[in-house]
Amino acid sequence: MIVGIDLGTTNSLIAVWDSTEVKVIPNALGRLLTPSVVSVDDKGAILVGEPALNRMVTHPELTVANFKRLMGTDTLFKLGSHSFRAEELSALILKRLKEDAENFLGFPITEAVISVPAYFSDAQRKATKLAGKLAGLKVERLINEPTAAGIAHGLQEKMDETNYLIFDLGGGTFDVSILTIFSGIIEVRASCGDNLLGGVDFTNILKNSFVNYIKANYNLEQSFSLSAFQNKLYEQAELAKYNLSIHSETVMKLTWNSEVMAFHCSNQDFEKAAEALLQRLREPIKKVLNDAGLSPSQIEQIVLVGGASRMAIVKKMVSRMFGRLCLLHLDPDTVIVQGVAIQAGLKARDKALDEIVITDVCPFSLGVAVYNDTIPGQAGILHFDPIIERNTVIPTSRARIYYPSQENQEKVEIKIYQGENFSLEKNIFLGSLTINLPKNLPDKSIEVRFTYDINGLLEVESTIIATQAKARTVIEGNPGILSENQIAERLASLKQLKIHPREKTENLLVLSHAERLYEDLTGDKRNYLGMLIKDFIKTLDSQDPQLILRARMQVEKVLDHLQTELN
Ligand code: AMP
């Protein structure tokens, strides 16, 4: 069986297609959402998900979140004595999901379809596949998040011939896609986005407004340092953001030396402060409509996906652009994983999904750096030349012919870029390919072929036309992509990680049972259970297997007793 995984910036989910419907699988704590957070404790043991999230405020220096957008870069996250790349942190999340699903389903899981923001670059996609590999999963397919949401929406609504727009604003990325569904075919018409824009940026806007307010209104002593309050300020801003999704006004507070600094903020203030971000959201919407060749009035449904699309100022902006209220009736938390699980079912050739065909597009242009001396007044300028234009249906393979820029050139370096801009610096550099040209070739033309597969991974091949010699297709020089040796090393070091006992399913199950019972009980029994939970967590933190086993058995006994009494 192939599972579907939504590896989110903020939360991750795992689901399966079980021949008639999607089943989202609860984690060992019984919850569908597993926070994409990793932490280490003082003894160097790893915590993942909820227990890690709980340490965010108490041990921020030993906890990390929001690493998804740094996948495929050389950024290292230092956690105590460990340091991790973003794909390794993602691997820890994937491993947690895999183990939870295995416990739930009762059999091992080895294959997965994973969703990625449509706007993820080649390096970020490769990093996602690698994260799967590090977690012991064969990643059968990567699927674009808005496409996944589009599949789930399209199938659940049982629509006929409809154009719909998926507006997906997550924690760290923004994707917008237009899809058309007709007689079982779900076609992605166009996809655009911004992979450096998400809910986190809106939280930062609120945080900055609060900081500015404090600076302007309080005459604080020298000993007061705002930097010491970064986490507290961020927490208040995040809370305010949630409040502003349902209320028109909110208050952020910070206490220092028993002085309470309170900042009142309305949705109007928020809208004003976030105008630049809202403008950044409008641009891809205009572009996607343009690329799909549709006007706003031809879009029959607008589906908002991703936690950050719940913000009132975002909904207002989208409503204004389309002149109508937005549709939000799919559970925005699970819609992506539902589509991913359907894609996994399709991949496994499930009979019930026999009649569905899905087509996707490449959301950005891919091309090479070329000299062009034909532009008047701009002799010899190096610029971007697209080979695959954005929103081409995938898989696709396109080739173009190029010539060396100088007469006796013996080497040609093909520099590969992703983006839409004429200037190279404004596009993303993906890697390069060097070709040796034999001397005295009569015809020096070189064919450069780009093949972009359904996973959004790019292969580049060059052929010297005269000799038919082909150059290797590996994209080199991208700092974000690890070599096979480096991968083997990372795999070995991840295997050695000590996983915190609190992470073990048997302990998680006891804890979650205890927490559920705690909610049901009252009075002395509740207090007693509270003490027991505290003691058990302390014992888990001791990391002594013997002590833990004994404590767990004791807690289980008490839980059984209390449960029987309650029933
Ligand atoms: P996702 O990656 O789709 O889970 O989206 C997570 C982002 O959505 C984070 O930046 C959250 O702060 C934000 N978010 C989730 N729920 C809400 C809400 N009710 N109001 C505003 N933002 C939210």
Side-chain angles (χ1 to χ4, degrees), residues 342-412:
I342 294 169
Q343 179 66 60
L346 277 168
K347 186 89 200 140
R349 298 188 183 283
D350 192 281
K351 275 243 149 17
L353 295 168
D354 238 9
E355 283 163 16
I356 297 158
V357 178
I358 296 159
T359 67
D360 207 345
V361 294
C362 165
F364 32 70
S365 302
L366 294 159
V368 293
V370 293
Y371 271 109
N372 191 337
D373 42 19
T374 58
I375 297 176
Q378 287 192 353
I381 192 172
L382 200 57
H383 68 91
F384 178 63
D385 188 45
I387 294 183
I388 294 177
E389 297 273 7
R390 71 164 184 267
N391 290 321
T392 304
V393 175
I394 57 172
T396 183
S397 186
R398 300 264 164 100
R400 287 190 70 150
I401 305 278
Y402 295 98
Y403 304 90
S405 58
Q406 273 145 45
E407 260 303 298
N408 300 315
Q409 207 168 319
E410 288 176 9
K411 257 192 188 152
V412 175

Side-chain angles (χ1 to χ4, degrees), residues 70-75 85 87 123-124 126-127 130 430 477-483 486:
L70 291 165
M71 298 266 277
T73 68
D74 270 343
T75 310
R85 290 169 63 93
E87 46 267 50
Q124 288 170 307
K126 286 199 174 113
L130 176 58
L430 297 181
N478 190 326
I481 298 171
L482 298 181
S483 68
Q486 286 169 314

Side-chain angles (χ1 to χ4, degrees), residues 199-425:
V200 179
D201 302 294
F202 285 85
T203 309
N204 280 326
I205 289 279
L206 286 170
K207 185 179 140 212
N208 291 343
S209 302
F210 191 16
V211 167
N212 291 339
Y213 171 80
I214 293 175
K215 282 185 184 159
N217 291 281
Y218 292 88
N219 200 3
L220 293 163
E221 299 160 29
Q222 296 247 301
S223 62
F224 177 80
S225 144
L226 271 170
S227 60
F229 288 95
Q230 287 308 311
N231 280 308
K232 190 88 201 134
L233 288 165
Y234 189 88
E235 205 186 33
Q236 282 291 303
E238 181 74 4
L239 208 66
K241 185 175 77 172
Y242 275 68
N243 279 336
L244 287 173
S245 294
I246 37 175
H247 304 292
S248 57
E249 220 185 291
T250 189
V251 192
M252 285 179 257
K253 285 183 186 158
L254 186 70
T255 310
W256 190 70
N257 270 355
S258 66
E259 174 155 30
V260 182
M261 297 177 267
F263 173 48
H264 290 258
C265 178
S266 70
N267 251 323
Q268 251 172 343
D269 303 330
F270 186 23
E271 191 176 21
K272 220 157 135 201
E275 178 45 38
L277 294 182
L278 294 172
Q279 187 51 32
R280 271 173 74 189
L281 290 175
R282 283 186 202 105
E283 291 307 322
I285 301 180
K286 287 186 203 151
K287 208 153 102 182
V288 83
L289 282 165
N290 191 36
D291 285 1
L294 294 170
S295 65
S297 63
Q298 285 171 297
I299 303 293
E300 280 125 316
Q301 295 185 355
I302 300 155
V303 187
L304 301 184
V305 182
S309 68
R310 289 188 165 114
M311 278 181 279
I313 60 166
V314 169
K315 284 198 225 171
K316 183 171 153 196
M317 185 276 288
V318 183
S319 299
R320 277 221 177 125
M321 271 188 100
F322 288 88
R324 84 196 84 141
L325 289 177
C326 299
L327 195 83
L328 225 187
H329 61 217
L330 285 184
D331 176 2
D333 284 334
T334 62
V335 63
I336 291 177
V337 82
Q338 290 189 31
V340 187
I342 294 169
Q343 179 66 60
L346 277 168
K347 186 89 200 140
R349 298 188 183 283
D350 192 281
K351 275 243 149 17
L353 295 168
D354 238 9
E355 283 163 16
I356 297 158
V357 178
I358 296 159
T359 67
D360 207 345
V361 294
C362 165
F364 32 70
S365 302
L366 294 159
V368 293
V370 293
Y371 271 109
N372 191 337
D373 42 19
T374 58
I375 297 176
Q378 287 192 353
I381 192 172
L382 200 57
H383 68 91
F384 178 63
D385 188 45
I387 294 183
I388 294 177
E389 297 273 7
R390 71 164 184 267
N391 290 321
T392 304
V393 175
I394 57 172
T396 183
S397 186
R398 300 264 164 100
R400 287 190 70 150
I401 305 278
Y402 295 98
Y403 304 90
S405 58
Q406 273 145 45
E407 260 303 298
N408 300 315
Q409 207 168 319
E410 288 176 9
K411 257 192 188 152
V412 175
E413 193 189 7
I414 300 174
K415 288 191 164 171
I416 302 149
Y417 287 85
Q418 158 188 329
E420 312 302 329
N421 213 283
F422 183 77
S423 306
L424 291 175
E425 317 80 72

Side-chain angles (χ1 to χ4, degrees), residues 29-327:
L29 294 171
R31 302 190 184 117
L32 300 183
L33 303 180
T34 296
S36 305
V37 185
V38 176
S39 184
V40 296
D41 78 350
D42 331 332
K43 296 190 176 111
I46 304 289
L47 293 135
V48 179
E50 196 102 9
L53 181 66
N54 293 337
R55 287 169 59 84
M56 197 61 161
V57 174
T58 52
H59 299 82
E61 71 296 346
L62 291 174
T63 308
V64 47
N66 292 324
F67 41 84
K68 172 166 150 172
R69 36 180 173 181
L70 291 165
M71 298 266 277
T73 68
D74 270 343
T75 310
L76 280 181
F77 296 87
K78 259 199 93 50
L79 286 183
S81 59
H82 302 282
S83 63
F84 297 107
R85 290 169 63 93
E87 46 267 50
E88 292 176 288
L89 295 168
S90 296
L92 292 170
I93 306 286
L94 290 173
K95 210 152 169 245
R96 169 89 264 150
L97 295 171
K98 170 174 147 55
E99 283 167 9
D100 281 345
E102 283 172 341
N103 284 318
F104 185 86
L105 297 167
F107 50 79
I109 288 163
T110 51
E111 293 165 307
V113 175
I114 302 181
S115 59
V116 288
Y119 241 66
F120 250 21
S121 72
D122 193 66
Q124 288 170 307
R125 283 167 197 266
K126 286 199 174 113
T128 307
K129 278 199 123 176
L130 176 58
K133 188 169 172 178
L134 294 173
L137 285 168
K138 180 159 184 277
V139 180
E140 279 292 334
R141 169 94 195 251
L142 297 175
I143 176 170
N144 292 330
E145 284 165 10
T147 307
I151 295 171
H153 180 68
L155 292 186
Q156 284 176 13
E157 289 297 296
K158 297 196 174 58
M159 298 182 295
D160 216 26
E161 257 268 29
T162 311
N163 297 322
Y164 56 110
L165 181 134
I166 305 281
F167 177 100
D168 178 6
L169 186 61
T173 53
F174 172 51
D175 284 316
V176 51
S177 293
I178 292 178
L179 294 93
T180 299
I181 186 165
F182 60 98
S183 27
I185 298 175
I186 299 177
E187 181 187 56
V188 180
R189 302 274 296 262
S191 211
C192 286
D194 186 335
N195 64 353
L196 293 176
L197 177 60
V200 179
D201 302 294
F202 285 85
T203 309
N204 280 326
I205 289 279
L206 286 170
K207 185 179 140 212
N208 291 343
S209 302
F210 191 16
V211 167
N212 291 339
Y213 171 80
I214 293 175
K215 282 185 184 159
N217 291 281
Y218 292 88
N219 200 3
L220 293 163
E221 299 160 29
Q222 296 247 301
S223 62
F224 177 80
S225 144
L226 271 170
S227 60
F229 288 95
Q230 287 308 311
N231 280 308
K232 190 88 201 134
L233 288 165
Y234 189 88
E235 205 186 33
Q236 282 291 303
E238 181 74 4
L239 208 66
K241 185 175 77 172
Y242 275 68
N243 279 336
L244 287 173
S245 294
I246 37 175
H247 304 292
S248 57
E249 220 185 291
T250 189
V251 192
M252 285 179 257
K253 285 183 186 158
L254 186 70
T255 310
W256 190 70
N257 270 355
S258 66
E259 174 155 30
V260 182
M261 297 177 267
F263 173 48
H264 290 258
C265 178
S266 70
N267 251 323
Q268 251 172 343
D269 303 330
F270 186 23
E271 191 176 21
K272 220 157 135 201
E275 178 45 38
L277 294 182
L278 294 172
Q279 187 51 32
R280 271 173 74 189
L281 290 175
R282 283 186 202 105
E283 291 307 322
I285 301 180
K286 287 186 203 151
K287 208 153 102 182
V288 83
L289 282 165
N290 191 36
D291 285 1
L294 294 170
S295 65
S297 63
Q298 285 171 297
I299 303 293
E300 280 125 316
Q301 295 185 355
I302 300 155
V303 187
L304 301 184
V305 182
S309 68
R310 289 188 165 114
M311 278 181 279
I313 60 166
V314 169
K315 284 198 225 171
K316 183 171 153 196
M317 185 276 288
V318 183
S319 299
R320 277 221 177 125
M321 271 188 100
F322 288 88
R324 84 196 84 141
L325 289 177
C326 299
L327 195 83

